[in-house]
């Protein structure tokens, strides 16, 4: 036992030294900063968005939302035990899908609009078929995770990616209900994932304080991005797929560049000392919207690093944020049981 313990200590020491050398190599090739390069770019001024629609109908905390590809319909998941599909134009409820478990944490809309998915403390991703005149909803259960389901995103109608509190992510065939690939490498609960625009890669954020880039074709981890000092709760790809943002319990959002393997910017404010629950980019990527535990959605200029707006209408934690695919609107969801659509 003593020999095994000594070997573990030696390997741990070597790992720490290797990580130190990698950090030094990163710093050596970082010859400038995003703020320096963007110094000649005009500031965008104060961002003032207004609430255009309020979606009322949930009876408990909202934990997740996801826009449909048509930029009109919004899917929301609440611990009242329902998934609701909303018409964002009229605020009408199109579908209300009862869940087997009320402890839901995530939801997702398929690109076609024909399927939705959810999951949570039941450790299962459940996929529902949605039709215009549906009174009941056929479902498929994807079981295999040994921890809660924290996030899910469709590739297409037949494939979905999930992240879990069991420290892994999964790539699933919805038709057969089988897991195609297992992505293991995090040393903490995986809290969020975001698909790349090419649908061949995704990034994950976890409670081990790092984000990882994965290849959906090989199942391999391509890159690891350290920097945060607490759990990463949310990740979102930059619109061009070459960078991504993270939101953490350390009160910071960060921007990472994939090609240079660098952290480009940290978005913080001394006046904000609470965790970030969710992040999403504007259609162009110039703005980063982040939901915070302080009941607000803060808006950051991604190039300058400045906070350029505060969306303050919710009465409890802003648990989820999402920008419509066409960039026309922002939707925020909260523990106050309401969704708000801004532009």
């Amino acid at each position: 036992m003593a020999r095994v313990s000594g070997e573990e200590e030696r390997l741990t020491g070597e790992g720490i030294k290797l990580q130190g050398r990698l950090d030094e190599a990163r710093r050596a090739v970082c010859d400038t900063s995003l703020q320096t390069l963007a110094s000649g770019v005009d500031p965008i001024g104060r961002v003032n968005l207004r609430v255009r629609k309020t979606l009322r109908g949930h009876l408990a905390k909202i934990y997740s939302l996801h826009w449909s590809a048509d930029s009109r319909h919004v899917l929301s998941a609440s611990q009242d035990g329902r998934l609701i599909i909303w018409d964002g134009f009229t605020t009408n409820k199109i579908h209300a899908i009862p869940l087997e478990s009320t402890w839901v944490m995530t939801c997702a809309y398929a690109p076609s609009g024909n399927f939705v998915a959810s999951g949570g403390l039941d450790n299962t991703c459940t996929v529902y078929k949605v039709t215009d005149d549906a009174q009941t909803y056929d479902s498929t259960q994807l079981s295999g995770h040994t921890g809660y389901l924290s996030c899910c995103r469709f590739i297409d109608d037949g494939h979905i990616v999930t992240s879990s509190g069991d420290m892994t992510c999964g790539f699933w065939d919805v038709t057969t209900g089988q897991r195609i690939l297992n992505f293991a490498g995090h040393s903490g609960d995986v809290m969020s994932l975001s698909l790349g625009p090419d649908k061949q890669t995704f990034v994950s954020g976890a409670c081990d304080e790092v984000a990882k880039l994965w290849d959906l074709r090989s199942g391999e981890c391509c890159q690891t991005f350290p920097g945060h000092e607490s759990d990463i709760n949310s990740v979102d790809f930059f619109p061009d797929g070459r960078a991504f943002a993270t939101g953490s319990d350390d009160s910071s959002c960060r921007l990472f560049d994939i090609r240079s393997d660098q952290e480009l910017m940290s978005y913080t404010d001394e006046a904000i000392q609470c965790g970030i629950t969710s992040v999403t980019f504007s259609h162009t990527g110039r703005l980063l919207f982040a939901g915070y535990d302080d009941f607000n959605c803060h808006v950051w200029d991604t190039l300058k690093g400045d906070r350029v707006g505060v969306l303050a209408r919710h009465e409890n934690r802003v648990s989820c944020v999402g920008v419509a695919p066409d960039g026309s609107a922002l939707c925020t969801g909260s523990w106050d049981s309401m969704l708000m659509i801004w532009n």
Side-chain angles (χ1 to χ4, degrees):
M1 286 294 293
R3 186 163 54 248
V4 172
S5 179
E7 182 69 6
E8 288 180 350
E9 289 181 3
R10 184 183 67 81
L11 292 174
T12 300
E14 288 185 3
I16 293 172
K17 290 179 182 178
L18 179 59
Q19 184 62 57
R21 289 200 293 270
L22 289 172
D23 292 341
E24 289 178 4
R26 274 197 180 99
R27 288 192 291 270
V29 297
C30 185
D31 56 354
T32 188
S33 69
L34 180 59
Q35 280 182 316
T36 300
L37 290 174
S39 59
V41 177
D42 292 335
I44 58 176
R46 194 71 177 170
V47 174
N48 293 306
L49 302 184
R50 297 175 59 189
V51 175
R52 305 298 178 177
K53 303 289 183 180
T54 300
L55 309 181
R56 295 181 174 90
H58 279 299
L59 304 176
K61 297 173 181 177
I62 294 171
Y63 268 79
S64 181
L65 69 86
H66 197 208
W67 283 92
S68 171
D70 63 9
S71 296
R72 174 168 182 165
H73 296 94
V74 179
L75 174 69
S76 60
S78 166
Q79 289 194 346
D80 62 7
R82 291 186 299 169
L83 292 179
I84 294 181
I85 297 176
W86 307 82
D87 185 327
F89 292 179
T90 66
T91 74
N92 291 336
K93 303 178 191 67
I94 307 302
H95 296 278
I97 303 172
L99 304 176
E100 292 186 12
S101 170
T102 59
W103 301 106
V104 64
M105 297 177 68
T106 184
C107 63
Y109 228 131
S112 68
N114 296 326
F115 296 89
V116 297
S118 69
L121 296 185
D122 58 357
N123 302 356
T124 301
C125 180
T126 305
V127 179
Y128 300 90
K129 183 172 177 59
V130 177
T131 57
D132 290 341
D133 57 351
Q135 299 298 316
T136 59
Y137 303 91
D138 296 333
S139 64
T140 300
Q141 292 193 335
L142 308 178
S143 301
H145 282 298
T146 57
Y148 58 84
L149 199 81
S150 57
C151 191
C152 58
R153 286 294 179 264
F154 282 95
I155 302 289
D156 52 40
D157 283 357
H159 300 89
I160 195 169
V161 184
T162 59
S163 63
S164 170
D166 64 9
M167 302 187 290
T168 70
C169 299
F171 180 34
W172 304 80
D173 185 318
V174 175
T175 304
T176 64
Q178 299 299 308
R179 180 155 45 182
I180 300 169
L181 289 171
N182 187 55
F183 303 87
H186 281 291
S187 58
D189 299 10
V190 186
M191 300 303 296
S192 179
L193 69 87
S194 178
L195 289 174
D198 59 4
K199 301 294 180 70
Q200 295 179 346
T201 58
F202 73 94
V203 65
S204 61
C207 293
D208 57 8
E209 304 174 6
V210 300
K212 290 180 177 288
L213 179 71
W214 305 87
D215 190 321
L216 277 165
R217 296 158 293 186
S218 67
E220 298 295 324
C221 176
C222 306
Q223 290 169 261
T224 299
F225 298 86
H228 279 292
E229 299 173 357
S230 189
D231 302 355
I232 297 175
N233 295 319
S234 181
V235 293
D236 190 48
F237 256 103
F238 196 78
D240 68 2
R242 295 174 178 174
F244 64 91
T246 56
S248 168
D249 279 342
D250 65 11
S251 304
S252 74
C253 300
R254 301 185 189 225
L255 180 66
F256 294 93
D257 182 71
I258 293 171
R259 293 173 297 174
S260 65
D261 198 36
Q262 299 281 345
E263 178 186 315
L264 298 182
M265 187 80 76
S266 178
Y267 306 97
T268 60
D269 190 305
E270 291 183 358
I272 305 174
Q273 297 297 322
C274 63
I276 293 104
T277 62
S278 50
V279 293
T280 188
F281 285 104
S282 64
H283 191 59
T284 63
R286 181 67 191 270
L287 299 176
L288 178 66
F289 300 97
Y292 284 73
D293 291 341
D294 66 358
F295 305 179
N296 297 320
C297 176
H298 296 273
V299 188
W300 300 91
D301 183 334
T302 55
L303 292 181
K304 300 287 191 178
D306 299 327
R307 184 162 58 114
V308 292
V310 181
L311 310 182
R313 285 286 299 275
H314 284 291
E315 297 175 359
N316 208 324
R317 171 187 292 184
V318 177
S319 54
C320 46
V321 295
V323 169
D326 65 2
S328 60
L330 167 76
C331 187
T332 57
S334 169
W335 282 13
D336 65 10
S337 78
M338 291 187 291
L339 297 156
M340 295 183 183
I341 296 178
W342 312 68
N343 65 16

